[in-house]
Amino acid sequence: MEQQLKANKQWMGARMERKEDLRLVTGQGKYLADIVLPGMLHAVFVRSEYAHANILGIDASAALELPGVIAVLTGEDFRTEVKSMRQPVLLPNLPAAYPEYYALAVDKVKYHGDPVAVVIARDKYTAEDAAELVLVDYEELPVILDAEAALEPGAPQVHDDQPGNEMFAMTFTGGATEEEQRANEAAVEQIFKTADVVVSNRFRVHRTGITPMEPRGVLCDWTMADGLTAWITTQRPHIDRLALIDILDIPGEKVRVIAPRDQGGGFGVKAPFFRENVVIAHAARKLGKPVRWIESRYESLMSVGQERDQVNTLDVAATKEGKLLAIRNRGVANNGTGQTGVYWGFVMPFLGQVEMPNVYTWEKGDIKLRVASTNKACLTPSRAFGHFPTRFAVERSIDMVARKVGMEPAELRRKNMVPQLPYTTVTGEYYDSGDFLKVWDNLLTHIDLPAFRREQAALREQGRYIGIGFACGAELSGVASELLVPMENQPGYGAATVRVDPRGKVLIFGGDAPGGQGHETTVAQVVASTFGIDPKDSVVTTGDTGATPFGAGTIGARAGSYFVSAVHKACADLKEKITHVLAHDLGIRATVEEFSFINGEVIYLRDPSKKKPFREIVERIIMFPVNLPEGEVGGLEATAFFEAAKPMICFNGDFCVVEVDIKTAEFKIKRWVTSEDVGNVINQNIVDGQMHGAIVQGLSNAVYEEFIYNEQGQQLTADFENYKLATAADVPDIELSYASTPCPHTPLGTRGIGEGRPSSVPGALSNAICDALAPFGIEITELPLRPSSLWTKIKAAQG
């Protein structure tokens, strides 16, 4: 048994090089743009130049006269030939004002970039030229861009079929009834009236998000025999398939969706169901030809990857000893048009408020959210799903409380952290397991805080200003059906099929579609550790609805928790069968626990001379299924599903040290240190990469990136000249450390991590800057963090 345990650990935790990288670094990856079908046509969208306008007419005659143009489709074609996008499969089970809309704009455009027509041509260059010839006659309408203004009476109406612009509103604390919630509000108000310390601020977080290296794309083929085959850059091919079935009214057996094996990132952007999927699929069916659309960077920055965009008016009450008492928030989110399937924009702010209490033990909470429709692009998911703005507000407020009571911010955080799990927050979020204090204490071992304070004081005497900032965060480790069904109307279980072939190779099939996270490598390591074989003997296939079990998609850090757990479970089922047959052949009675799978052999532990190579025993079961134990049949394939009993979490802490030049307000990050609880680690290299990427994204969002609209609602940052991203030269070295607790709810003790990881970054960085500038009394309540705005604060403080 000890030898078997050692074998199981051989690949788990190993810093194995990624299997995917051989093809990727040698230029042999196969992305959607690499897929070419005979006779393939190319699509280019005509997009609105106005943020809000009636469509009076569309003249495509000049475009249709251009040689090589096959068709021009408009919103009218879709209104009469295709169902609307408001189908049950795409609607969350949350009460909201869901607008009716079609794959192309009908009668009215609602944001700059709204698709009004699509040109189909024999090549992309012709389609681009023809798109410029499509003339659209618009009647401009009043534009509303600010969420708070949109909620005022008399504001311009975004959706004609919904009264007012409030798309979603919810109270997250106090109970299910209005009476309970009012009683809770009164109790919270009483706490604030009697509290020693109250901190109140209005926190604004700008519109920013994620820009994957590979934009979106769709390739659809239609034949009368097989129906629709759609290659889509998506994180959720099975959900996309159901949506295409329902919207296009195609029999289910006639629709297959394939996510390309290689995708240049997703980070949430490729999780919704988009209008372009329907347009290209319908065009392929209508024309009887393959049609492909590849999103331009301009389209991408104009239409997707936009998240955050919230104002949170947050009050925190505490005792003079630094005990947190109550949290009260009034959140307002700018949803844009809300026209994106599955998420409808508001699901991200919804989850952000649920997760607002973070890891602290509030006695009471009063948290409310209003989400407004505006004439901006719809919010789409982005790493740190919804809680990037709320966590910034909470972590900044905690530092302000610490300053008021004269306590070290790190000490105040530890004093108020959940001391023992499981725990349920004031918003009802369940924290299943782990040890927050262990992770936090590990973080603090990386700095001598008293020595830092002495250095800080000495440097201030020299006119230099350094500061330290802390923040932390609990995030979802996979999303259980208990949460995903009401939030997105989708199941949360993980699923995998494992098939062993007669030569001892293992084929794994999963319905989720990764975007570069390293699933092929980590899954191969799980299979290798279970069967005692080499990871190179495993091949992982993902994202093909015609070959994989149903999967909810690559979202919410599901791979490390849900998908690999399903893989392990399927492998365990096959081990039972393999050892049952082997025991029969050896003439012994034994259970699976009495065999060791190690170094390509299956060994009977009570008598190690009784063994057989893994390849031989699986070949015998698959190819020579005679004289089997009673009730057994040949073949080695198992499909397993995994669902945790409760939602699971992971946890992290950060600190950074910055220096601020008070003459220019430029700031430099001198150190960035983290402490992580990811459960048992499958591959340290891949986890390190997830942490590095998430922190860099958080820094880029907080400091460099911002989607900007002018007064007419035109998007001014639809290229990388104006939408700035952090480069390698802009980010610090990141010191990673781990203080993990194995997850008791997954068979391998693993936790998924990475999806929400950027959310603690803006709080840590802002806190460090404010700590550096504490002599000036400067507090940061808005993002992005720009030297220009900081310089204004410094000059104002200097008088």
Side-chain angles (χ1 to χ4, degrees):
M1 186 62 69
E2 184 177 340
Q3 186 182 32
Q4 184 176 16
L5 187 62
K6 183 179 178 182
N8 286 343
K9 289 185 175 179
Q10 181 178 2
W11 291 110
M12 286 291 291
R15 287 186 176 273
M16 175 180 151
E17 292 183 357
R18 298 193 345 151
K19 295 182 69 173
E20 299 91 332
D21 288 348
L22 176 61
R23 67 175 184 271
L24 297 179
V25 301
T26 57
Q28 298 178 72
K30 195 166 187 179
Y31 299 86
L32 188 131
D34 297 314
I35 303 172
V36 177
L37 300 181
M40 185 175 71
L41 304 175
H42 298 261
V44 170
F45 284 88
V46 178
R47 296 185 181 271
S48 170
E49 297 178 359
Y50 296 94
H52 200 198
N54 289 322
I55 301 173
L56 302 181
I58 300 176
D59 182 1
S61 57
L64 290 167
E65 291 174 3
L66 199 66
V69 173
I70 305 301
V72 178
L73 304 179
T74 68
E76 286 302 320
D77 296 300
F78 284 83
R79 174 155 58 183
T80 57
E81 299 172 11
V82 175
K83 292 180 182 178
S84 83
M85 299 290 289
R86 192 171 64 184
Q87 297 301 313
V89 71
L90 299 177
L91 296 178
N93 285 324
L94 291 168
Y98 298 100
E100 190 83 77
Y101 73 105
Y102 290 83
L104 292 176
V106 174
D107 296 333
K108 183 177 175 181
V109 294
K110 298 174 182 177
Y111 74 97
H112 179 212
D114 209 346
V116 296
V118 64
V119 176
I120 313 293
R122 298 193 186 281
D123 63 82
K124 188 171 183 178
Y125 303 102
T126 300
E128 291 276 8
D129 291 342
E132 295 182 4
L133 298 176
V134 176
L135 301 178
V136 185
D137 186 12
Y138 294 105
E139 178 189 32
E140 286 190 70
L141 296 170
V143 171
I144 186 70
L145 302 172
D146 180 80
E148 291 171 307
L151 295 172
E152 293 293 330
Q157 184 83 21
V158 177
H159 301 295
D160 295 335
D161 60 336
Q162 302 291 351
N165 290 317
E166 184 178 273
M167 185 169 181
F168 177 78
M170 188 170 183
T171 298
F172 295 82
T173 48
T177 68
E178 290 186 10
E179 184 178 1
E180 290 173 319
Q181 291 167 7
R182 282 195 297 269
N184 180 69
E185 283 183 44
V188 170
E189 175 61 21
Q190 187 60 35
I191 291 174
F192 276 96
K193 284 182 178 179
T194 58
D196 299 327
V197 176
V198 174
V199 169
S200 300
N201 289 279
R202 184 179 187 272
F203 294 93
R204 176 190 175 274
V205 174
H206 59 306
R207 180 169 281 231
T208 183
I210 191 66
T211 52
M213 189 176 295
E214 180 198 24
R216 297 176 297 146
V218 186
L219 168 59
C220 292
D221 190 24
W222 173 272
T223 65
M224 292 302 294
D226 297 323
L228 177 68
T229 303
W231 290 264
I232 304 175
T233 54
T234 178
Q235 296 168 222
R236 312 181 79 173
H238 284 273
I239 303 301
D240 286 10
R241 174 179 172 269
L242 293 177
L244 289 171
I245 289 169
D246 291 354
I247 295 173
L248 296 173
D249 202 17
I250 303 173
E253 74 277 9
K254 294 284 191 179
V255 180
R256 179 184 182 187
V257 173
I258 304 168
R261 177 176 64 171
D262 298 316
Q263 294 193 63
F267 311 105
V269 167
K270 296 173 183 174
F273 183 76
F274 290 106
R275 303 161 81 171
E276 290 88 353
N277 301 345
V278 175
V279 172
I280 303 306
H282 180 58
R285 178 175 65 172
K286 190 179 182 78
L287 301 173
K289 292 279 190 180
V291 180
R292 187 177 74 180
W293 168 70
I294 304 294
E295 184 180 46
S296 69
R297 183 61 65 185
Y298 180 78
E299 289 177 295
S300 177
L301 290 169
M302 180 179 287
S303 301
V304 298
Q306 302 189 23
E307 219 235 86
R308 327 309 186 197
D309 209 351
Q310 289 184 34
V311 172
N312 288 285
T313 302
L314 178 63
D315 306 320
V316 170
T319 69
K320 60 181 181 295
E321 292 79 24
K323 176 70 178 74
L324 298 176
L325 299 174
I327 181 172
R328 177 168 59 196
N329 188 57
R330 298 295 181 263
V332 177
N334 190 326
N335 202 38
T337 64
Q339 295 174 312
T340 300
V342 179
Y343 297 93
W344 299 80
F346 75 85
V347 174
M348 286 77 73
F350 160 83
L351 186 61
Q353 301 295 323
V354 170
E355 299 197 318
M356 189 169 209
N358 205 359
V359 299
Y360 305 112
T361 54
W362 310 94
E363 292 181 8
K364 283 281 188 179
D366 175 14
I367 296 176
K368 297 179 184 294
L369 172 70
R370 298 181 74 192
V371 181
S373 296
T374 66
N375 295 118
K376 290 184 177 180
C378 180
L379 292 185
T380 50
S382 179
R383 213 173 188 182
F385 188 104
H387 53 270
F388 191 92
T390 55
R391 201 141 290 170
F392 165 68
V394 168
E395 292 298 322
R396 282 268 48 238
S397 295
I398 285 175
D399 261 41
M400 294 179 193
V401 170
R403 266 193 277 284
K404 278 202 169 189
V405 301
M407 185 181 292
E408 275 286 355
E411 181 187 348
L412 189 141
R413 281 178 171 79
R414 193 187 193 284
K415 181 185 181 76
N416 290 282
M417 277 183 189
V418 174
Q420 190 172 357
L421 299 177
Y423 180 83
T424 301
T425 72
V426 293
T427 58
E429 185 176 17
Y430 180 80
Y431 294 161
D432 70 299
S433 63
D435 189 337
F436 293 168
L437 298 180
K438 171 185 171 183
V439 176
W440 191 254
D441 291 343
N442 173 65
L443 179 70
L444 293 181
T445 64
H446 294 270
I447 191 167
D448 183 340
L449 200 50
F452 174 84
R453 291 303 183 197
R454 291 192 294 271
E455 179 190 12
Q456 183 184 50
L459 288 175
R460 281 177 182 169
E461 293 294 325
Q462 302 170 28
R464 293 177 59 191
Y465 295 85
I466 64 170
I468 189 168
F470 294 90
C472 58
E475 62 173 280
L476 295 174
S477 177
V479 189
S481 293
E482 180 182 282
L483 177 59
L484 202 60
V485 168
M487 191 169 75
E488 298 182 14
N489 202 15
Q490 319 292 351
Y493 55 76
T497 296
V498 176
R499 179 190 305 155
V500 185
D501 84 352
R503 299 296 178 262
K505 309 301 180 182
V506 182
L507 310 178
I508 306 100
F509 301 88
D512 300 346
Q517 298 97 318
H519 289 28
E520 293 175 37
T521 303
T522 50
V523 168
Q525 287 178 255
V526 168
V527 171
S529 69
T530 307
F531 286 140
I533 60 176
D534 195 286
K536 71 176 187 299
D537 293 331
S538 297
V539 176
V540 180
T541 298
T542 55
D544 182 346
T545 65
T548 62
F550 184 90
T554 301
I555 57 170
R558 284 167 43 83
S561 52
Y562 279 71
F563 182 41
V564 298
S565 295
V567 170
H568 178 77
K569 191 176 175 184
C571 289
D573 291 343
L574 295 177
K575 285 179 71 172
E576 288 270 5
K577 184 172 183 177
I578 290 168
T579 54
H580 188 203
V581 174
L582 180 55
H584 171 79
D585 290 354
L586 294 173
I588 59 174
R589 295 174 65 87
T591 64
V592 65
E593 290 81 11
E594 295 175 275
F595 287 89
S596 173
F597 287 68
I598 181 171
N599 296 330
E601 293 185 311
V602 186
I603 304 169
Y604 181 47
L605 293 172
R606 295 181 184 274
D607 181 357
S609 67
K610 292 180 169 32
K611 61 182 180 180
K612 185 162 284 191
F614 180 78
R615 171 176 167 169
E616 286 189 23
I617 184 60
V618 301
E619 185 177 28
R620 177 263 192 273
I621 295 171
I622 298 167
M623 298 301 295
F624 313 113
V626 295
N627 191 27
L628 291 171
E630 185 177 351
E632 288 285 11
V633 295
L636 281 173
E637 182 173 322
T639 296
F641 298 87
F642 173 81
E643 178 86 88
K646 287 285 186 178
M648 299 178 291
I649 61 159
C650 50
F651 174 67
N652 70 273
D654 290 284
F655 79 75
C656 67
V657 177
V658 303
E659 181 167 2
V660 183
D661 184 335
I662 62 166
K663 293 180 181 179
T664 64
E666 296 283 347
F667 54 88
K668 181 178 181 181
I669 302 172
K670 302 174 75 68
R671 284 190 78 189
W672 195 287
V673 183
T674 83
S675 180
E676 314 284 346
D677 181 0
V678 302
N680 288 337
V681 174
I682 299 173
N683 186 313
Q684 191 74 61
N685 286 339
I686 287 177
V687 176
D688 286 356
Q690 285 286 310
M691 298 303 98
H692 281 123
I695 292 165
V696 168
Q697 186 207 327
L699 290 171
S700 190
N701 279 183
V703 179
Y704 298 96
E705 303 176 41
E706 183 176 15
F707 288 107
I708 298 173
Y709 291 78
N710 67 13
E711 292 180 356
Q712 290 74 43
Q714 290 187 312
Q715 225 269 72
L716 304 179
T717 45
D719 55 54
F720 284 145
E721 183 177 3
N722 294 293
Y723 189 81
K724 303 295 186 182
L725 295 171
T727 68
D730 299 316
V731 296
D733 290 334
I734 298 168
E735 304 170 45
L736 301 173
S737 68
Y738 296 89
S740 293
T741 302
C743 180
H745 307 302
T746 58
L748 296 170
T750 56
R751 302 178 190 270
I753 194 169
E755 192 281 328
R757 186 59 183 83
S759 62
S760 58
V761 171
L765 180 57
S766 301
N767 287 336
I769 292 171
C770 292
D771 184 58
L773 298 176
F776 302 97
I778 288 173
E779 300 289 6
I780 295 169
T781 57
E782 291 194 9
L783 296 180
L785 280 167
R786 297 280 167 76
S788 56
S789 59
L790 198 57
W791 185 87
T792 302
K793 289 178 179 290
I794 293 171
K795 291 305 172 186
Q798 290 176 328

